[in-house]
């Protein structure tokens, strides 16, 4: 039931190190399985999405976020004829390069790198996700990384500056970075994972925001994406309140966005009628929200930025998280012997420190910070 414009494992552009196909699994299933068994994947369970790990057991972590993205992407893929195994592999791997402490950790690591090497590359989580699956995982006898298929790696490298693309192309001519030079699209499966990521965090950040007490239903009513399903829910179940009311609104929000993407994408795929995955890549983006839904998601994102991501309480903890990352960076740079597990790699000492910190879970970062500085932040148990 695959659409002609979908990716197919039998016509995959292959792996960087050629391998014999597995007897019972296609190339994308195999990629998915390698990702699930990787060390970086297990670390996602203790990495922050928005709320720091120790703030509560029920908030999303990078792991549960990635699983939700995979669920949404797979259900859309099945209904529009894209390759489910490929979208699952991309979705489960898309955040592997995130630092501890979410975006605050990434910003601090980037600042630390650029401070030490002003002309350098800095730190970018999409590039790091690719680096994790290409270089940093140490599982196979003959090569570094997980040796994933081109199409999975293409989906993982969601953004890339021209400068970084040129650098990646030195090692892999005409590789996954080529599209950032050519300005073409990634596969339809990769496009779908980007949209599924957005749908997932828009919904779960509302849930976590309300759970934390930082967002209220009356605030959320100002956002059409929330207000419309709320009106419907209250009309149908006037007695509903509390968690069940919130869950029902979020469930309807998710459905609206998913059906909107399915309808809009089906129309675009019918109109463009790509005959192969390569033809899909040469066409404008096909997996997308309708313009009306895109406007609503945009408003919701603005609301979440103003009211949740920049809430004084969130900013206070992210400020401390940045201190942890900056101080770890300085400490390891001053005494690299403190990183016994970090293998020397091409890219020099700065990159080695950055890889070591980027790989940490929130908990390990806090423990290391305490060990190296004697200071306890967040009053968190370490
Ligand atoms: Mg994500």
């Amino acid at each position: 039931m695959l659409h002609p414009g979908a990716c197919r494992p039998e016509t995959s552009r292959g792996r960087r190190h050629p391998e014999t196909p597995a007897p019972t699994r296609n190339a994308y299933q195999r990629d998915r399985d390698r990702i699930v068994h990787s060390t970086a994947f297990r670390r996602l369970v203790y990495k922050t999405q928005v709320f720091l790990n120790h703030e509560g057991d029920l908030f999303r972590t990078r792991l549960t976020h990635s699983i939700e993205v995979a669920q949404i992407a797979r259900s859309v893929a099945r209904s529009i004829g894209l390759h489910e195994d490929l979208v699952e592999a991309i979705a489960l791997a898309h955040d592997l390069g995130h630092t501890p402490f979410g975006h605050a950790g990434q910003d601090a690591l980037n600042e630390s790198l650029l401070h030490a090497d002003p002309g350098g590359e800095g730190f970018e989580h999409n590039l790091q996700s690719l680096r994790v699956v290409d270089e940093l995982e140490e599982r196979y006898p003959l090569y570094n990384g997980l040796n994933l298929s081109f199409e999975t790696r293409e989906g993982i490298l969601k953004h890339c500056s021209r400068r970084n693309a040129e650098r990646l192309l030195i090692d892999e001519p005409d590789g996954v970075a080529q599209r950032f030079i050519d300005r073409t699209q990634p596969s339809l499966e990769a496009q779908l994972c980007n949209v599924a990521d957005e749908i997932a965090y828009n919904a779960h950040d509302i849930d976590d925001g309300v759970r934390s007490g930082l967002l209220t239903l009356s605030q959320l009513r100002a956002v059409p994406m929330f207000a419309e399903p709320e009106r419907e829910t209250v009309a149908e179940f006037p007695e509903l309140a509390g968690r069940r009311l919130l869950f029902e609104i979020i469930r309807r929000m998710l459905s609206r966005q998913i059906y909107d993407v399915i309808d809009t994408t089906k129309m675009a795929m019918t109109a463009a009628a790509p005959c192969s995955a390569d033809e899909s890549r040469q066409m404008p983006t096909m997996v997308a929200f309708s313009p009306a839904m895109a406007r609503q998601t945009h408003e919701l994102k603005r609301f979440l930025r103003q009211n949740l991501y920049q809430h004084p309480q969130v900013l206070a903890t992210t400020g401390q998280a940045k201190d942890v990352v900056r101080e770890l960076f300085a400490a390891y740079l001053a005494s690299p012997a403190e990183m016994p597990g970090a293998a020397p790699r091409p890219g020099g000492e700065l990159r080695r420190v950055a890889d070591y910190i980027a790989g940490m879970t929130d908990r390990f970062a806090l423990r290391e910070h305490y060990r190296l500085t004697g200071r306890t932040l967040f009053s968190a148990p370490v």
Side-chain angles (χ1 to χ4, degrees):
M1 293 317 235
L2 272 187
H3 188 277
C7 287
R8 286 173 164 68
E10 54 283 10
T11 53
S12 168
R13 284 178 59 182
R15 304 177 190 279
R16 295 209 294 174
H17 308 278
E19 287 183 46
T20 10
T24 55
R25 293 172 297 161
N26 70 52
Y28 305 144
Q29 280 178 288
R30 209 174 185 192
D31 287 354
R32 189 256 338 265
D33 298 347
R34 287 177 182 195
I35 292 158
V36 168
H37 288 277
S38 70
T39 309
F41 185 71
R42 284 193 300 284
R43 287 178 174 151
L44 295 179
V45 71
Y46 291 115
K47 289 201 186 208
T48 289
Q49 181 68 23
V50 172
F51 291 92
L52 299 186
N53 191 256
H54 64 263
E55 293 181 294
D57 289 347
L58 294 179
F59 294 124
R60 266 65 175 191
T61 66
R62 289 266 165 219
L63 181 69
T64 57
H65 162 71
S66 301
I67 293 171
E68 289 182 34
V69 175
Q71 180 276 314
I72 292 166
R74 284 187 53 202
S75 72
V76 176
R78 188 176 297 192
S79 83
I80 62 178
L82 299 184
H83 205 290
E84 266 185 79
D85 297 326
L86 177 56
V87 298
E88 189 178 15
I90 297 171
L92 292 179
H94 85 283
D95 273 350
L96 288 180
H98 269 285
T99 60
F101 312 124
H103 283 279
Q106 156 166 319
D107 292 346
L109 189 52
N110 186 43
E111 285 158 22
S112 300
L113 273 169
L114 291 178
H115 184 74
D117 176 18
E121 289 160 31
F123 184 88
E124 207 283 315
H125 71 260
N126 287 291
L127 276 178
Q128 190 70 11
S129 296
L130 187 67
R131 210 170 139 67
V132 166
V133 300
D134 280 355
E135 296 292 333
L136 300 180
E137 280 290 319
E138 297 173 327
R139 307 193 75 80
Y140 296 100
L142 297 177
Y143 44 75
N144 283 334
L146 302 177
N147 198 29
L148 302 180
S149 310
F150 176 91
E151 294 75 21
T152 303
R153 299 175 54 244
E154 172 194 38
I156 291 171
L157 190 62
K158 180 165 148 186
H159 301 293
C160 184
S161 66
R162 194 182 170 93
R163 186 171 163 224
N164 283 330
E166 283 165 355
R167 192 178 49 73
L168 288 173
L169 287 168
I170 298 170
D171 282 343
E172 192 192 8
D174 199 29
V176 288
Q178 188 63 43
R179 74 181 178 89
F180 298 98
I181 308 287
D182 299 344
R183 298 184 168 279
T184 54
Q185 302 305 320
S187 70
L188 297 175
E189 284 81 359
Q191 294 177 31
L192 170 54
C193 288
N194 294 345
V195 178
D197 189 18
E198 212 177 306
I199 295 176
Y201 65 68
N202 280 337
H204 65 50
D205 288 352
I206 291 183
D207 184 14
D208 285 355
V210 173
R211 181 184 303 281
S212 68
L214 302 184
L215 294 180
T216 62
L217 292 199
S218 59
Q219 264 180 310
L220 282 158
R221 275 182 205 118
V223 193
M225 173 78 94
F226 187 88
E228 287 171 20
E230 195 212 7
R231 265 196 302 279
E232 282 174 18
T233 308
V234 172
E236 199 176 335
F237 304 103
E239 307 293 316
L240 210 56
R243 302 295 305 165
R244 276 183 208 260
L245 173 62
L246 180 66
F247 288 146
E248 181 59 20
I249 299 167
I250 291 176
R251 193 183 69 75
R252 288 174 190 233
M253 261 181 63
L254 282 169
S255 301
R256 279 165 171 247
Q257 293 175 82
I258 289 170
Y259 294 133
D260 181 271
V261 169
I262 289 174
D263 292 345
T264 311
T265 306
K266 269 187 179 165
M267 273 194 294
M269 285 164 73
T270 308
C275 293
S276 67
D278 271 335
E279 259 187 51
S280 302
R281 292 183 174 98
Q282 302 302 322
M283 294 171 166
T285 307
M286 277 179 262
V287 187
F289 292 119
S290 66
M293 188 59 80
R295 265 194 305 281
Q296 288 206 358
T297 60
H298 190 77
E299 277 176 67
L300 174 60
K301 272 195 259 197
R302 197 174 47 207
F303 170 87
L304 287 171
R305 198 165 46 242
Q306 283 170 357
N307 297 284
L308 184 62
Y309 312 141
Q310 295 181 354
H311 190 287
Q313 204 173 309
V314 173
L315 290 181
T317 55
T318 55
Q320 289 188 306
K322 284 185 171 188
D323 290 343
V324 171
V325 170
R326 282 193 207 105
E327 290 171 22
L328 282 177
F329 190 90
Y332 292 129
L333 206 55
S335 27
E338 300 291 353
M339 307 182 288
R345 291 187 181 282
E349 207 59 11
L350 285 175
R351 191 53 54 184
R352 183 168 162 233
V353 172
D355 285 340
Y356 192 58
I357 294 175
M360 291 180 178
T361 61
D362 292 14
R363 305 200 305 177
F364 185 68
L366 288 174
R367 266 201 307 268
E368 281 291 277
H369 183 263
Y370 177 71
R371 183 177 74 83
L372 295 165
T373 68
R375 296 199 299 125
T376 308
L377 294 177
F378 302 117
S379 61
V382 290

